[in-house]
Amino acid sequence: MKAIRFLADFYAVGGSGDSHVKYAKGQTYPADEETQRQVAAGIAEEVDVPDVVNAAAAADHPTDTGTAA
């Protein structure tokens, strides 16, 4: 699975004018339109992430089995 790893902190500015780290250096995030733009800008890189990570995340958040009590 493809993910995006940031090579530098990426800051966002909120409506009140304060900035905060939106994407942290060294962390990986899902590949989407916004993170792909950061790859094109040179502050992030595309990496392969094992599907095992996805299985562990799914185990932490089980889906509804459809049985009602």
Side-chain angles (χ1 to χ4, degrees):
M1 181 176 123
K2 297 290 183 184
I4 306 299
R5 180 180 341 176
F6 277 72
L7 305 172
D9 287 339
F10 178 77
Y11 292 86
V13 178
S16 62
D18 60 332
S19 66
H20 63 280
V21 175
K22 184 169 185 177
Y23 300 112
K25 177 182 179 180
Q27 298 297 311
T28 55
Y29 297 90
D32 60 20
E33 186 177 323
E34 183 177 14
T35 56
Q36 289 290 348
R37 283 194 304 265
Q38 305 314 319
V39 171
I43 66 165
E45 63 185 353
E46 190 173 75
V47 296
D48 284 319
V49 178
D51 289 337
V52 174
V53 172
N54 294 332
D60 288 341
H61 303 288
T63 58
D64 186 359
T65 60
T67 57

